[in-house]
Amino acid sequence: DVKVTQSSRYLVKRTGEKVFLECVQDMDHENMFWYRQDPGLGLRLIYFSYDVKMKEKGDIPEGYSVSREKKERFSLILESASTNQTSMYLCASRSTGLWGYTFGSGTRLTVV
Amino acid sequence: KQEVTQIPAALSVPEGENLVLNCSFTDSAIYNLQWFRQDPGKGLTSLLLIQSSQREQTSGRLNASLDKSSGRSTLYIAASQPGDSATYLCAVFSGGGADGLTFGKGTHLIIQP
């Protein structure tokens, strides 16, 4: 079975900390995505990448950055965590073409 | 800009009933549509993917239909079970690069034993 693995299910971080969320896929997919999900707001795209070392801003990139040094790994970075970044973070990947998305199991981040 | 609406937002039915979840989208120029299931506190599990050239897809007790011209999709669940309780999300891929996936807000489904 194809897999997208997020390294942490739950994280608690302090305000101002630098936070790394890691995502690894084993499907050789070109495209990878980071979403956040909040009650009432649904899923919102933060950043995506269509190739190694390439990145594009999504709908809500402020306060975040990303890194994609290898094809299988896409990292989301919170440069200085704030309480309004408390959320569920979901990583996804997709092959180029008209294929569906595969999501990871999510990381519930709480910033205190 | 593509918008996806799911109705109803919540649904509670007794076990054994057949049910239909609805998804509508404003721009019919889509490449495909994907239905997901999300259990509380978990990630998204893909249920069905319908390409724009297809009218429906089936997997077990699930059947998803697509009518591009009217901007609608339905997810039919036959003989519902308590284990079907989850939030069901509809998402459309409109192309425009790698970022063209637009989600609905979901239907929260409860199957009463």
Side-chain angles (χ1 to χ4, degrees):
Chain A
D1 239 0
V2 295
K3 275 194 173 176
V4 175
T5 302
Q6 294 183 232
S7 54
S8 303
R9 287 295 309 279
Y10 302 95
L11 277 178
V12 180
K13 297 292 182 181
R14 295 194 180 277
T15 301
E17 277 193 73
K18 190 169 186 177
V19 181
F20 293 85
L21 302 184
E22 306 289 346
C23 176
V24 176
Q25 51 98 0
D26 65 359
M27 298 165 282
D28 202 36
H29 285 173
E30 295 83 5
N31 306 295
M32 297 188 73
F33 308 82
W34 276 105
Y35 289 85
R36 66 176 281 177
Q37 185 179 31
D38 300 287
L41 297 177
L43 278 92
R44 294 179 291 168
L45 181 64
I46 306 171
Y47 266 97
F48 65 96
S49 168
Y50 54 88
D51 202 351
V52 176
K53 297 191 184 296
M54 306 302 291
K55 60 184 179 183
E56 295 287 344
K57 293 179 180 179
D59 299 320
I60 51 164
E62 296 79 17
Y64 303 94
S65 62
V66 290
S67 173
R68 194 167 181 200
E69 296 296 319
K70 294 184 177 182
K71 190 175 185 180
E72 67 270 18
R73 186 179 297 270
F74 192 35
S75 302
L76 180 69
I77 304 159
L78 286 65
E79 296 291 343
S80 177
S82 64
T83 55
N84 63 13
Q85 292 178 310
T86 291
S87 186
M88 168 69 93
Y89 290 87
L90 293 162
C91 175
S93 71
R94 184 178 70 84
S95 182
T96 297
L98 302 181
W99 303 107
Y101 286 65
T102 301
F103 279 80
S105 55
T107 296
R108 170 69 66 182
L109 173 67
T110 301
V111 182
V112 297
Chain B
K1 183 183 175 183
Q2 179 74 268
E3 292 182 2
V4 178
T5 303
Q6 291 187 246
I7 294 173
L11 182 63
S12 180
V13 300
E15 179 179 4
E17 283 200 8
N18 302 323
L19 54 97
V20 175
L21 308 182
N22 297 293
C23 171
S24 62
F25 44 95
T26 54
D27 185 349
S28 61
I30 67 169
Y31 288 96
N32 60 43
L33 183 146
Q34 197 166 0
W35 282 94
F36 295 91
R37 168 188 173 136
Q38 186 176 32
D39 293 291
K42 303 283 182 66
L44 275 63
T45 300
S46 181
L47 298 173
L48 290 163
L49 172 70
I50 311 177
Q51 303 291 353
S52 62
S53 58
Q54 298 174 321
R55 294 297 297 245
E56 65 179 305
Q57 282 285 337
T58 298
S59 176
R61 295 183 293 108
L62 304 179
N63 175 276
S65 67
L66 175 64
D67 184 342
K68 268 184 58 176
S69 61
S70 67
R72 294 186 180 192
S73 176
T74 61
L75 179 66
Y76 176 82
I77 303 176
S80 58
Q81 303 170 357
D84 295 330
S85 298
T87 297
Y88 291 80
L89 292 156
C90 166
V92 298
F93 180 58
S94 305
D99 64 335
L101 191 65
T102 304
F103 282 89
K105 297 268 179 77
T107 294
H108 180 54
L109 176 64
I110 296 174
I111 307 298
Q112 307 154 11

